[in-house]
PDB file of all heavy atoms in Angstrom:
ATOM      1  N   ILE M  88     -69.895  69.500   5.494  1.00 96.00           N
ATOM      2  CA  ILE M  88     -71.335  69.328   5.353  1.00 96.00           C
ATOM      3  C   ILE M  88     -71.956  70.708   5.198  1.00 96.00           C
ATOM      4  O   ILE M  88     -71.638  71.605   5.983  1.00 96.00           O
ATOM      5  CB  ILE M  88     -71.937  68.626   6.593  1.00 96.00           C
ATOM      6  CG1 ILE M  88     -71.335  67.229   6.766  1.00 96.00           C
ATOM      7  CG2 ILE M  88     -73.457  68.542   6.494  1.00 96.00           C
ATOM      8  CD1 ILE M  88     -71.686  66.578   8.101  1.00 96.00           C
ATOM      9  N   PRO M  89     -72.794  70.956   4.200  1.00 94.00           N
ATOM     10  CA  PRO M  89     -73.398  72.284   4.048  1.00 94.00           C
ATOM     11  C   PRO M  89     -74.124  72.737   5.311  1.00 94.00           C
ATOM     12  O   PRO M  89     -75.046  72.070   5.789  1.00 94.00           O
ATOM     13  CB  PRO M  89     -74.392  72.100   2.894  1.00 94.00           C
ATOM     14  CG  PRO M  89     -73.847  70.942   2.109  1.00 94.00           C
ATOM     15  CD  PRO M  89     -73.227  70.022   3.129  1.00 94.00           C
ATOM     16  N   GLY M  90     -73.660  73.849   5.870  1.00 93.00           N
ATOM     17  CA  GLY M  90     -74.252  74.361   7.098  1.00 93.00           C
ATOM     18  C   GLY M  90     -73.913  73.569   8.337  1.00 93.00           C
ATOM     19  O   GLY M  90     -74.385  73.880   9.437  1.00 93.00           O
ATOM     20  N   GLY M  91     -73.110  72.519   8.177  1.00 95.00           N
ATOM     21  CA  GLY M  91     -72.675  71.731   9.318  1.00 95.00           C
ATOM     22  C   GLY M  91     -73.670  70.695   9.806  1.00 95.00           C
ATOM     23  O   GLY M  91     -73.408  70.009  10.793  1.00 95.00           O
ATOM     24  N   VAL M  92     -74.811  70.587   9.132  1.00 94.00           N
ATOM     25  CA  VAL M  92     -75.861  69.671   9.577  1.00 94.00           C
ATOM     26  C   VAL M  92     -76.475  68.966   8.380  1.00 94.00           C
ATOM     27  O   VAL M  92     -76.371  69.429   7.244  1.00 94.00           O
ATOM     28  CB  VAL M  92     -76.979  70.414  10.349  1.00 94.00           C
ATOM     29  CG1 VAL M  92     -76.438  71.003  11.644  1.00 94.00           C
ATOM     30  CG2 VAL M  92     -77.617  71.499   9.487  1.00 94.00           C
ATOM     31  N   ASN M  93     -77.176  67.867   8.649  1.00 92.00           N
ATOM     32  CA  ASN M  93     -77.820  67.113   7.594  1.00 92.00           C
ATOM     33  C   ASN M  93     -79.339  67.227   7.606  1.00 92.00           C
ATOM     34  O   ASN M  93     -80.021  66.541   6.853  1.00 92.00           O
ATOM     35  CB  ASN M  93     -77.376  65.652   7.664  1.00 92.00           C
ATOM     36  CG  ASN M  93     -75.933  65.499   7.198  1.00 92.00           C
ATOM     37  OD1 ASN M  93     -75.573  65.892   6.091  1.00 92.00           O
ATOM     38  ND2 ASN M  93     -75.083  64.957   8.068  1.00 92.00           N
ATOM     39  N   SER M  94     -79.857  68.112   8.430  1.00 90.00           N
ATOM     40  CA  SER M  94     -81.253  68.536   8.390  1.00 90.00           C
ATOM     41  C   SER M  94     -81.262  69.946   8.965  1.00 90.00           C
ATOM     42  O   SER M  94     -80.757  70.158  10.080  1.00 90.00           O
ATOM     43  CB  SER M  94     -82.143  67.591   9.199  1.00 90.00           C
ATOM     44  OG  SER M  94     -83.526  67.826   8.955  1.00 90.00           O
ATOM     45  N   PRO M  95     -81.785  70.937   8.239  1.00 88.00           N
ATOM     46  CA  PRO M  95     -81.513  72.341   8.561  1.00 88.00           C
ATOM     47  C   PRO M  95     -81.843  72.788   9.982  1.00 88.00           C
ATOM     48  O   PRO M  95     -81.123  73.604  10.549  1.00 88.00           O
ATOM     49  CB  PRO M  95     -82.349  73.100   7.524  1.00 88.00           C
ATOM     50  CG  PRO M  95     -82.365  72.190   6.334  1.00 88.00           C
ATOM     51  CD  PRO M  95     -82.465  70.813   6.921  1.00 88.00           C
ATOM     52  N   VAL M  96     -82.931  72.289  10.587  1.00 90.00           N
ATOM     53  CA  VAL M  96     -83.318  72.789  11.908  1.00 90.00           C
ATOM     54  C   VAL M  96     -82.235  72.523  12.960  1.00 90.00           C
ATOM     55  O   VAL M  96     -82.148  73.218  13.965  1.00 90.00           O
ATOM     56  CB  VAL M  96     -84.673  72.176  12.343  1.00 90.00           C
ATOM     57  CG1 VAL M  96     -84.519  70.702  12.710  1.00 90.00           C
ATOM     58  CG2 VAL M  96     -85.284  72.960  13.501  1.00 90.00           C
ATOM     59  N   ARG M  97     -81.389  71.535  12.724  1.00 92.00           N
ATOM     60  CA  ARG M  97     -80.346  71.194  13.687  1.00 92.00           C
ATOM     61  C   ARG M  97     -79.286  72.280  13.819  1.00 92.00           C
ATOM     62  O   ARG M  97     -78.517  72.283  14.793  1.00 92.00           O
ATOM     63  CB  ARG M  97     -79.658  69.887  13.278  1.00 92.00           C
ATOM     64  CG  ARG M  97     -80.586  68.697  13.174  1.00 92.00           C
ATOM     65  CD  ARG M  97     -79.852  67.474  12.664  1.00 92.00           C
ATOM     66  NE  ARG M  97     -80.764  66.395  12.335  1.00 92.00           N
ATOM     67  CZ  ARG M  97     -80.391  65.240  11.776  1.00 92.00           C
ATOM     68  NH1 ARG M  97     -79.119  65.026  11.506  1.00 92.00           N
ATOM     69  NH2 ARG M  97     -81.298  64.311  11.503  1.00 92.00           N
ATOM     70  N   ALA M  98     -79.228  73.198  12.864  1.00 92.00           N
ATOM     71  CA  ALA M  98     -78.197  74.225  12.869  1.00 92.00           C
ATOM     72  C   ALA M  98     -78.478  75.357  13.848  1.00 92.00           C
ATOM     73  O   ALA M  98     -77.655  76.262  14.012  1.00 92.00           O
ATOM     74  CB  ALA M  98     -78.009  74.793  11.463  1.00 92.00           C
ATOM     75  N   PHE M  99     -79.658  75.359  14.498  1.00 94.00           N
ATOM     76  CA  PHE M  99     -80.049  76.410  15.442  1.00 94.00           C
ATOM     77  C   PHE M  99     -80.193  77.767  14.757  1.00 94.00           C
ATOM     78  O   PHE M  99     -80.111  78.812  15.429  1.00 94.00           O
ATOM     79  CB  PHE M  99     -79.051  76.525  16.592  1.00 94.00           C
ATOM     80  CG  PHE M  99     -79.188  75.485  17.677  1.00 94.00           C
ATOM     81  CD1 PHE M  99     -79.820  74.274  17.441  1.00 94.00           C
ATOM     82  CD2 PHE M  99     -78.681  75.719  18.953  1.00 94.00           C
ATOM     83  CE1 PHE M  99     -79.936  73.315  18.443  1.00 94.00           C
ATOM     84  CE2 PHE M  99     -78.803  74.765  19.961  1.00 94.00           C
ATOM     85  CZ  PHE M  99     -79.424  73.570  19.713  1.00 94.00           C
ATOM     86  N   SER M 100     -80.453  77.774  13.463  1.00 90.00           N
ATOM     87  CA  SER M 100     -80.556  79.045  12.746  1.00 90.00           C
ATOM     88  C   SER M 100     -81.685  79.914  13.281  1.00 90.00           C
ATOM     89  O   SER M 100     -81.582  81.149  13.288  1.00 90.00           O
ATOM     90  CB  SER M 100     -80.758  78.793  11.253  1.00 90.00           C
ATOM     91  OG  SER M 100     -79.673  78.072  10.703  1.00 90.00           O
ATOM     92  N   ALA M 101     -82.769  79.304  13.717  1.00 90.00           N
ATOM     93  CA  ALA M 101     -83.927  80.060  14.184  1.00 90.00           C
ATOM     94  C   ALA M 101     -83.750  80.623  15.582  1.00 90.00           C
ATOM     95  O   ALA M 101     -84.480  81.533  15.982  1.00 90.00           O
ATOM     96  CB  ALA M 101     -85.182  79.180  14.143  1.00 90.00           C
ATOM     97  N   VAL M 102     -82.794  80.080  16.341  1.00 94.00           N
ATOM     98  CA  VAL M 102     -82.619  80.496  17.730  1.00 94.00           C
ATOM     99  C   VAL M 102     -81.225  81.037  18.014  1.00 94.00           C
ATOM    100  O   VAL M 102     -80.996  81.688  19.042  1.00 94.00           O
ATOM    101  CB  VAL M 102     -82.925  79.335  18.702  1.00 94.00           C
ATOM    102  CG1 VAL M 102     -84.407  78.987  18.668  1.00 94.00           C
ATOM    103  CG2 VAL M 102     -82.076  78.103  18.388  1.00 94.00           C
ATOM    104  N   GLY M 103     -80.264  80.789  17.123  1.00 93.00           N
ATOM    105  CA  GLY M 103     -78.898  81.224  17.347  1.00 93.00           C
ATOM    106  C   GLY M 103     -78.161  80.333  18.347  1.00 93.00           C
ATOM    107  O   GLY M 103     -78.736  79.458  18.983  1.00 93.00           O
ATOM    108  N   GLY M 104     -76.865  80.556  18.464  1.00 94.00           N
ATOM    109  CA  GLY M 104     -76.070  79.799  19.413  1.00 94.00           C
ATOM    110  C   GLY M 104     -75.447  78.557  18.800  1.00 94.00           C
ATOM    111  O   GLY M 104     -75.528  78.310  17.591  1.00 94.00           O
ATOM    112  N   THR M 105     -74.824  77.774  19.642  1.00 95.00           N
ATOM    113  CA  THR M 105     -74.069  76.597  19.222  1.00 95.00           C
ATOM    114  C   THR M 105     -74.937  75.353  19.233  1.00 95.00           C
ATOM    115  O   THR M 105     -75.467  74.976  20.283  1.00 95.00           O
ATOM    116  CB  THR M 105     -72.873  76.368  20.172  1.00 95.00           C
ATOM    117  OG1 THR M 105     -72.028  77.511  20.145  1.00 95.00           O
ATOM    118  CG2 THR M 105     -72.080  75.137  19.753  1.00 95.00           C
ATOM    119  N   PRO M 106     -75.111  74.689  18.084  1.00 96.00           N
ATOM    120  CA  PRO M 106     -75.820  73.415  18.108  1.00 96.00           C
ATOM    121  C   PRO M 106     -75.078  72.415  18.990  1.00 96.00           C
ATOM    122  O   PRO M 106     -73.851  72.321  18.943  1.00 96.00           O
ATOM    123  CB  PRO M 106     -75.804  72.968  16.643  1.00 96.00           C
ATOM    124  CG  PRO M 106     -75.485  74.195  15.853  1.00 96.00           C
ATOM    125  CD  PRO M 106     -74.638  75.049  16.736  1.00 96.00           C
ATOM    126  N   ARG M 107     -75.833  71.679  19.781  1.00 97.00           N
ATOM    127  CA  ARG M 107     -75.223  70.681  20.637  1.00 97.00           C
ATOM    128  C   ARG M 107     -75.013  69.394  19.857  1.00 97.00           C
ATOM    129  O   ARG M 107     -75.945  68.891  19.237  1.00 97.00           O
ATOM    130  CB  ARG M 107     -76.085  70.425  21.872  1.00 97.00           C
ATOM    131  CG  ARG M 107     -76.428  71.660  22.687  1.00 97.00           C
ATOM    132  CD  ARG M 107     -75.189  72.451  23.127  1.00 97.00           C
ATOM    133  NE  ARG M 107     -75.492  73.366  24.227  1.00 97.00           N
ATOM    134  CZ  ARG M 107     -75.686  74.667  24.086  1.00 97.00           C
ATOM    135  NH1 ARG M 107     -75.582  75.217  22.873  1.00 97.00           N
ATOM    136  NH2 ARG M 107     -75.968  75.417  25.144  1.00 97.00           N
ATOM    137  N   PHE M 108     -73.806  68.873  19.902  1.00 97.00           N
ATOM    138  CA  PHE M 108     -73.489  67.605  19.269  1.00 97.00           C
ATOM    139  C   PHE M 108     -73.688  66.501  20.297  1.00 97.00           C
ATOM    140  O   PHE M 108     -72.979  66.423  21.292  1.00 97.00           O
ATOM    141  CB  PHE M 108     -72.059  67.617  18.724  1.00 97.00           C
ATOM    142  CG  PHE M 108     -71.959  68.242  17.360  1.00 97.00           C
ATOM    143  CD1 PHE M 108     -72.344  69.558  17.164  1.00 97.00           C
ATOM    144  CD2 PHE M 108     -71.519  67.521  16.262  1.00 97.00           C
ATOM    145  CE1 PHE M 108     -72.278  70.146  15.905  1.00 97.00           C
ATOM    146  CE2 PHE M 108     -71.452  68.089  15.001  1.00 97.00           C
ATOM    147  CZ  PHE M 108     -71.832  69.408  14.820  1.00 97.00           C
ATOM    148  N   ILE M 109     -74.673  65.678  20.069  1.00 98.00           N
ATOM    149  CA  ILE M 109     -75.063  64.651  21.027  1.00 98.00           C
ATOM    150  C   ILE M 109     -74.241  63.390  20.791  1.00 98.00           C
ATOM    151  O   ILE M 109     -74.100  62.924  19.656  1.00 98.00           O
ATOM    152  CB  ILE M 109     -76.560  64.344  20.927  1.00 98.00           C
ATOM    153  CG1 ILE M 109     -77.390  65.639  21.089  1.00 98.00           C
ATOM    154  CG2 ILE M 109     -76.972  63.308  21.957  1.00 98.00           C
ATOM    155  CD1 ILE M 109     -77.147  66.384  22.391  1.00 98.00           C
ATOM    156  N   THR M 110     -73.724  62.837  21.863  1.00 98.00           N
ATOM    157  CA  THR M 110     -72.894  61.642  21.755  1.00 98.00           C
ATOM    158  C   THR M 110     -73.546  60.405  22.359  1.00 98.00           C
ATOM    159  O   THR M 110     -73.139  59.288  22.044  1.00 98.00           O
ATOM    160  CB  THR M 110     -71.529  61.875  22.435  1.00 98.00           C
ATOM    161  OG1 THR M 110     -71.729  62.311  23.788  1.00 98.00           O
ATOM    162  CG2 THR M 110     -70.742  62.957  21.667  1.00 98.00           C
ATOM    163  N   SER M 111     -74.538  60.583  23.229  1.00 98.00           N
ATOM    164  CA  SER M 111     -75.238  59.439  23.783  1.00 98.00           C
ATOM    165  C   SER M 111     -76.573  59.877  24.361  1.00 98.00           C
ATOM    166  O   SER M 111     -76.801  61.066  24.616  1.00 98.00           O
ATOM    167  CB  SER M 111     -74.407  58.746  24.880  1.00 98.00           C
ATOM    168  OG  SER M 111     -74.250  59.597  26.007  1.00 98.00           O
ATOM    169  N   ALA M 112     -77.460  58.916  24.545  1.00 98.00           N
ATOM    170  CA  ALA M 112     -78.763  59.190  25.138  1.00 98.00           C
ATOM    171  C   ALA M 112     -79.250  57.932  25.847  1.00 98.00           C
ATOM    172  O   ALA M 112     -79.018  56.816  25.382  1.00 98.00           O
ATOM    173  CB  ALA M 112     -79.762  59.634  24.078  1.00 98.00           C
ATOM    174  N   LYS M 113     -79.952  58.137  26.942  1.00 98.00           N
ATOM    175  CA  LYS M 113     -80.519  57.037  27.703  1.00 98.00           C
ATOM    176  C   LYS M 113     -81.788  57.529  28.362  1.00 98.00           C
ATOM    177  O   LYS M 113     -81.796  58.571  29.041  1.00 98.00           O
ATOM    178  CB  LYS M 113     -79.529  56.558  28.770  1.00 98.00           C
ATOM    179  CG  LYS M 113     -80.028  55.387  29.606  1.00 98.00           C
ATOM    180  CD  LYS M 113     -80.013  54.079  28.834  1.00 98.00           C
ATOM    181  CE  LYS M 113     -80.351  52.903  29.751  1.00 98.00           C
ATOM    182  NZ  LYS M 113     -80.390  51.613  28.992  1.00 98.00           N
ATOM    183  N   GLY M 114     -82.881  56.807  28.163  1.00 98.00           N
ATOM    184  CA  GLY M 114     -84.147  57.232  28.738  1.00 98.00           C
ATOM    185  C   GLY M 114     -84.565  58.578  28.182  1.00 98.00           C
ATOM    186  O   GLY M 114     -84.674  58.760  26.971  1.00 98.00           O
ATOM    187  N   CYS M 115     -84.780  59.556  29.055  1.00 98.00           N
ATOM    188  CA  CYS M 115     -85.171  60.891  28.603  1.00 98.00           C
ATOM    189  C   CYS M 115     -84.013  61.883  28.651  1.00 98.00           C
ATOM    190  O   CYS M 115     -84.230  63.093  28.571  1.00 98.00           O
ATOM    191  CB  CYS M 115     -86.329  61.423  29.453  1.00 98.00           C
ATOM    192  SG  CYS M 115     -85.910  61.688  31.201  1.00 98.00           S
ATOM    193  N   TRP M 116     -82.764  61.377  28.755  1.00 98.00           N
ATOM    194  CA  TRP M 116     -81.612  62.248  28.900  1.00 98.00           C
ATOM    195  C   TRP M 116     -80.695  62.165  27.684  1.00 98.00           C
ATOM    196  O   TRP M 116     -80.368  61.080  27.207  1.00 98.00           O
ATOM    197  CB  TRP M 116     -80.817  61.887  30.164  1.00 98.00           C
ATOM    198  CG  TRP M 116     -81.587  62.129  31.419  1.00 98.00           C
ATOM    199  CD1 TRP M 116     -82.402  61.235  32.070  1.00 98.00           C
ATOM    200  CD2 TRP M 116     -81.649  63.333  32.172  1.00 98.00           C
ATOM    201  NE1 TRP M 116     -82.953  61.814  33.184  1.00 98.00           N
ATOM    202  CE2 TRP M 116     -82.510  63.110  33.281  1.00 98.00           C
ATOM    203  CE3 TRP M 116     -81.045  64.586  32.024  1.00 98.00           C
ATOM    204  CZ2 TRP M 116     -82.787  64.090  34.219  1.00 98.00           C
ATOM    205  CZ3 TRP M 116     -81.325  65.570  32.974  1.00 98.00           C
ATOM    206  CH2 TRP M 116     -82.177  65.316  34.047  1.00 98.00           C
ATOM    207  N   LEU M 117     -80.257  63.340  27.211  1.00 98.00           N
ATOM    208  CA  LEU M 117     -79.250  63.466  26.171  1.00 98.00           C
ATOM    209  C   LEU M 117     -77.936  63.906  26.808  1.00 98.00           C
ATOM    210  O   LEU M 117     -77.938  64.702  27.753  1.00 98.00           O
ATOM    211  CB  LEU M 117     -79.648  64.516  25.132  1.00 98.00           C
ATOM    212  CG  LEU M 117     -80.976  64.362  24.401  1.00 98.00           C
ATOM    213  CD1 LEU M 117     -81.247  65.612  23.565  1.00 98.00           C
ATOM    214  CD2 LEU M 117     -80.963  63.128  23.515  1.00 98.00           C
ATOM    215  N   THR M 118     -76.820  63.427  26.280  1.00 98.00           N
ATOM    216  CA  THR M 118     -75.503  63.886  26.719  1.00 98.00           C
ATOM    217  C   THR M 118     -74.744  64.396  25.510  1.00 98.00           C
ATOM    218  O   THR M 118     -74.654  63.705  24.484  1.00 98.00           O
ATOM    219  CB  THR M 118     -74.708  62.756  27.394  1.00 98.00           C
ATOM    220  OG1 THR M 118     -75.455  62.245  28.508  1.00 98.00           O
ATOM    221  CG2 THR M 118     -73.362  63.260  27.889  1.00 98.00           C
ATOM    222  N   ASP M 119     -74.200  65.622  25.589  1.00 97.00           N
ATOM    223  CA  ASP M 119     -73.479  66.178  24.449  1.00 97.00           C
ATOM    224  C   ASP M 119     -71.984  65.907  24.561  1.00 97.00           C
ATOM    225  O   ASP M 119     -71.504  65.300  25.535  1.00 97.00           O
ATOM    226  CB  ASP M 119     -73.791  67.667  24.267  1.00 97.00           C
ATOM    227  CG  ASP M 119     -73.213  68.576  25.353  1.00 97.00           C
ATOM    228  OD1 ASP M 119     -72.342  68.141  26.130  1.00 97.00           O
ATOM    229  OD2 ASP M 119     -73.637  69.766  25.412  1.00 97.00           O
ATOM    230  N   ALA M 120     -71.256  66.352  23.537  1.00 97.00           N
ATOM    231  CA  ALA M 120     -69.830  66.055  23.450  1.00 97.00           C
ATOM    232  C   ALA M 120     -69.037  66.645  24.607  1.00 97.00           C
ATOM    233  O   ALA M 120     -67.953  66.159  24.950  1.00 97.00           O
ATOM    234  CB  ALA M 120     -69.286  66.560  22.119  1.00 97.00           C
ATOM    235  N   ASP M 121     -69.567  67.719  25.221  1.00 97.00           N
ATOM    236  CA  ASP M 121     -68.900  68.351  26.357  1.00 97.00           C
ATOM    237  C   ASP M 121     -69.281  67.733  27.695  1.00 97.00           C
ATOM    238  O   ASP M 121     -68.814  68.184  28.737  1.00 97.00           O
ATOM    239  CB  ASP M 121     -69.218  69.843  26.375  1.00 97.00           C
ATOM    240  CG  ASP M 121     -68.640  70.584  25.186  1.00 97.00           C
ATOM    241  OD1 ASP M 121     -67.467  70.972  25.240  1.00 97.00           O
ATOM    242  OD2 ASP M 121     -69.365  70.756  24.183  1.00 97.00           O
TER     243      ASP M 121
END
């Protein structure tokens, strides 16, 4: 996938670091792959 994402802001280009890959969410909580 170009840049690893399908919408540019998800790549964290503006802030740096590793984009979190989210695997589930419930209520106001996100859980990432780790």
Side-chain angles (χ1 to χ4, degrees):
I88 299 170
V92 295
N93 288 304
S94 192
V96 72
R97 301 176 190 175
F99 281 22
S100 300
V102 292
T105 300
R107 305 305 198 259
F108 276 60
I109 305 302
T110 54
S111 66
K113 181 74 173 178
C115 64
W116 295 90
L117 303 172
T118 302
D119 70 14
D121 294 275

